[in-house]
Every structure is written in structure tokens, then in C-alpha cells.
């Protein structure tokens, strides 16, 4: 095991020692429940139960989450949900501090660090909880929507997945008489077609677009496209181009190989060659994708489907289309799992709350989130037409035209793969190193292949394979 991983494991084991007083003593602490939990399992709660729930999200998401927690309380008398909203950028730091003081939440959102918590015994194996409470199983959820740290141990399902998609400002297309992006994979733009449209949508201060000889790339008032800017948005294009993050045996870094590096290079060329994408500095000065589209600074955005909630809140007249790909259309579903900590005092109630959060029909507030922000994880919401339309139909005010074709069908009916951060061990450390190296590529100082070749020896020292054995 690599040194950094050893250090992390030692720290987490020490952390466990501090958090053990919150559990019952002895080897049976991970399977026993309190008397209150036993009462709850039989349908009654004899004393007030408080569950601490830590999460992140935008203001609109925060308000909706807090409202659905109140609905859960109303449906479960005697149970109180103490919400703890933490900005996503500060979440892990806050969580580490809480673990160190023995003050962990009972349940929380999680990210790529969740499997490490599972390996080190900080959180429950969700498979054990499903077996213990005996009401659902893995077959109830989409296959790729599981965070597993080995074949028998899971952090749980992605409770509210999203996927990579393209959204666009219809008004900006209409003003220039440009046809909307296609919404079916069969008619998807090639990469060159996509670049050409992005050029026509990129306008300088004098009204010239990026196809014209007198276009001024130093004085752009409107950009054709913007990417979310992380592995989440570029990896579908890597897969579509025949590339991978890891070698075939999962023992080496492979993002530097030609097929993968070419896909990343094409995206960064949008900034430095074609001038249709804001620079890193320009993008950081834009408050959010929704405000950039509302203010007509950006015509198209490639990123997570969760952007649609903020677009709806901002009143943007937007549409949705499939990704531009030349070869094998590829994407993935991703998102947080709700992890349950071993220190949870009321395990049954905490588990029931987690299930509540994955069910779009638990409350009107939760259904509103699934109609605006998330996609469901349970299979029945894709296989049953009535349930599919409940959250995805374009008849809903919150869903743009052709949402099912452009988002649901394009994701489930084509090359659906497992998102790298759900599968690659040591992902956080690896991704930090790769993201830092790609900064020079976004700035046009190095090619993608040069930057990624330079870090390969260092990244290889962190590679320890994948959690499920599949290549990512």
C-alpha cells in the first residue's frame, strides 16, 4: 500500500477510536440497535428521536431539502431531522473535524471519499442494512448507481443521480437564426459541426462572430459554449473517443494515451484555438452557469443535469440536447450516496430516512426536486411509463422539450459506464494531481499529451486499481 494511503488509513483508524464512544461497546456494536430503534422497527417510537443530516447544495436545494425533512417528520411522529447545510467545498474539512471530535452526523451526502470511510469502518455497509431490515435490495436500483468498496460492501445507491448533458439558451439561438442542437443520439452533431455552431454563437464587441476574419478574440461579449470544467464533463468525450483513465489491467494511468489526450485537447482548443469558450479566469468571474446563460454570456453549457434547477429559478428559456460525439456515444450517471455512520444512535430511523430521500413520491417537496434537480435511482422510475412521466415528462413546467430523449434515453440506451470517481481507488489524490496538470493545458501553455505524460510517473504511484475490478 502506498505511503499516502497508509497515512490516511492510520488517521481514519485513530478517528474511529474517538468516535467509538458514540457506539455501544464490544464487537457487537456494529449490529446492535438501541431499545428506541427496536421500538421503531415494530412501528412505535417511545421517545423523541433526533437524526442529524449533513448535506450541501445551492440555496434552492437547501430550501427544498429542509422542507422535505419537515414532511418526513410529519409522516414519522417523534422523529426530528436536524439539518446541517455545509458548502460543498468545505464539506470534507467539516466532516473530518466532526469525526475527530466524535460528533459525526447520522447520515450525510458523500463524495469520492466515501469508499475510504467504508474501508476504514466509519460508515455502515449498506448491504448489511438492506439485509438487516429486509425490504429492498440492489435489484431495486439501476446497476451503475452503486458506490461499492468491494463486491460485498457498499456505501449505498446514488440517491439522486445526474448525468452529463448539453443545455442551451433558446433565445440566443433564435436571435441568430441557428437551428437548435439535436436531441437524439442518432442525429448528434459531430465534433466539427458542434465547433462550427459554437463559432457562430461567439460574438465580439463589434458584432462579429468567430467564423469571420475580422473577429476580435480579445474582446468577446458572448461565448458559444462553456464546459463544467472537470473530469465529470470531459470523461464522456474520452470514453467516446476510445480512451480510458486507467490501463487495461487497471494498474497504470492511461489518460495520457493518444485517444484520451486527444479528447481533452479538443475541449481545451475551444478556448485557445477556436476562442468559443471562456478562459479559466473569465469562467471564474461568471457567478454560475445559470447566470451566464441568463445574462447571455454563454449560449451552450455542457455539465450536470442539476443545472436545470437553477436555470428554472433564473427563468432562462432553455432547451436540452445530446452531446456532440464522433464515435461511440458514452456517458454515465453519477451523484452522492447517503452514507450512514456507525455512530448513528437510531439506526432504523436513519435508514428509513435515507430510503425516503431516494423515493420521488415521498413528499411534494422531494418530487419537486426530482422534477427540477435530480434523476431517480430506483429502476421503476424508468421502466414504468407513468412513473417516468411523473418526473421527466416535458409536459411538466420544469422540464424542457425532449428531456426524455435527450437525457434519459441517451444515457440508458447507449454506452453507460461507471463514473471514474465511483470506481478508481485513491481518486481524490489522483484527480487533484491531474486537475493541476491540466491547468497549463487550459491556459494553452502545454498540450494535453505533454502535461499528462509529465505526471504519469507520479500518478502511477497512486494507482491501486478499481473497486469493482472494471476498467475506468
Amino acid at each position: 500500500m502506498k505511503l499516502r494511503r497508509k497515512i490516511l488509513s492510520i488517521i481514519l483508524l485513530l478517528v474511529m477510536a474517538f468516535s467509538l464512544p458514540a457506539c455501544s461497546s464490544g464487537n457487537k456494536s456494529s449490529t446492535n440497535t438501541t431499545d428506541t430503534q427496536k421500538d421503531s422497527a415494530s412501528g412505535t417510537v417511545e421517545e423523541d428521536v433526533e437524526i442529524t443530516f449533513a448535506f450541501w447544495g445551492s440555496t434552492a436545494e437547501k430550501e427544498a431539502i429542509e422542507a422535505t425533512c419537515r414532511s418526513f417528520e410529519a409522516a414519522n411522529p417523534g422523529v426530528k431531522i436536524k439539518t446541517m447545510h455545509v458548502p460543498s467545498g468545505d464539506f470534507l474539512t467539516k466532516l473530518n473535524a466532526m469525526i475527530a471530535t466524535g460528533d459525526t452526523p447520522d447520515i450525510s451526502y458523500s463524495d469520492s471519499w466515501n469508499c475510504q470511510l467504508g474501508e476504514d469502518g466509519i460508515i455502515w455497509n449498506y448491504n448489511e442494512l438492506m439485509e438487516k431490515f429486509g425490504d429492498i435490495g440492489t435489484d431495486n436500483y439501476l446497476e451503475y448507481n452503486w458506490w461499492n468498496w468491494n463486491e460485498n460492501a457498499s456505501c449505498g445507491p446514488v440517491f439522486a443521480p445526474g448525468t452529463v448533458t448539453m443545455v442551451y439558451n433558446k433565445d440566443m439561438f433564435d436571435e441568430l437564426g441557428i437551428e437548435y442542437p439535436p436531441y437524439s443520439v442518432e442525429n448528434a452533431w459531430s465534433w466539427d459541426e458542434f465547433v462550427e455552431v459554437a463559432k457562430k454563437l461567439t460574438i465580439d464587441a463589434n458584432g462579429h462572430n468567430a467564423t469571420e476574419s475580422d473577429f476580435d478574440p480579445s474582446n468577446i461579449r458572448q461565448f458559444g459554449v462553456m464546459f463544467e470544467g472537470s473530469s465529470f464533463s470531459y470523461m464522456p468525450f474520452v470514453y467516446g473517443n476510445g480512451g480510458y483513465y486507467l490501463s487495461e489491467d487497471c494498474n497504470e494511468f492511461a489518460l495520457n494515451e493518444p485517444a484520451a489526450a486527444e479528447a481533452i485537447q479538443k475541449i481545451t482548443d475551444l478556448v485557445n484555438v477556436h476562442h468559443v469558450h471562456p478562459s479559466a479566469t473569465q469562467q471564474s468571474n461568471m457567478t454560475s452557469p445559470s447566470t451566464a446563460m441568463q445574462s447571455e454570456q454563454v449560449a451552450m453549457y455542457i455539465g450536470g443535469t442539476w443545472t436545470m434547477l437553477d436555470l428554472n429559478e433564473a427563468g432562462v428559456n432553455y432547451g436540452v440536447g445530446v452531446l456532440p460525439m464522433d464515435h461511440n456515444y458514452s456517458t454515465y450517471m453519477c451523484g452522492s450516496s447517503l452514507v450512514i455512520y456507525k455512530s448513528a444512535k437510531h439506526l432504523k430511523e436513519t435508514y428509513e430516512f435515507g430510503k425516503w430521500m431516494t423515493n420521488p413520491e415521498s413528499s411534494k417537496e422531494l418530487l419537486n426536486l426530482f422534477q427540477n434537480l435530480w434523476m431517480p435511482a430506483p429502476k421503476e422510475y424508468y421502466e414504468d411509463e407513468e412513473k417516468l412521466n411523473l418526473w421527466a415528462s416535458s409536459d411538466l413546467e420544469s422540464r424542457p422539450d425532449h428531456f426524455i430523449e435527450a437525457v434519459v434515453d441517451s444515457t440508458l440506451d447507449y454506452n453507460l459506464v461507471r463514473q471514474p470517481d465511483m470506481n478508481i481507488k485513491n481518486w481524490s489524490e489522483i484527480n487533484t494531481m491531474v486537475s493541476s496538470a491540466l491547468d497549463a493545458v487550459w491556459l494553452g501553455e502545454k498540450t494535453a499529451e505533454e502535461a499528462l505524460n509529465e505526471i504519469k510517473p507520479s500518478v502511477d504511484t497512486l494507482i491501486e486499481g478499481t473497486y469493482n475490478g472494471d476498467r475506468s
Side-chain angles (χ1 to χ4, degrees), residues 1-12 116 426-433 458-459 461-462 464:
M1 186 175 285
K2 310 298 190 295
L3 177 60
R4 292 179 68 178
R5 188 169 175 85
K6 282 185 177 180
I7 293 171
L8 180 58
S9 297
I10 291 168
I11 291 172
L12 286 172
Q116 182 68 60
N426 299 330
W427 171 258
S428 295
E429 299 97 316
I430 293 168
N431 185 52
T432 297
M433 188 177 294
S458 298
V459 176
T461 66
L462 297 172
E464 294 183 353

Side-chain angles (χ1 to χ4, degrees), residues 241-253:
N241 203 43
Y244 287 89
Y245 209 100
L246 299 181
S247 60
E248 190 168 358
D249 62 6
C250 299
N251 289 327
E252 291 185 50
F253 183 59

Side-chain angles (χ1 to χ4, degrees), residues 310-330:
D310 292 332
L311 291 172
N312 291 333
E313 292 283 324
V316 178
N317 180 24
Y318 74 97
V320 61
V322 294
L323 303 175
M325 287 197 187
D326 289 323
H327 305 298
N328 185 26
Y329 195 94
S330 303

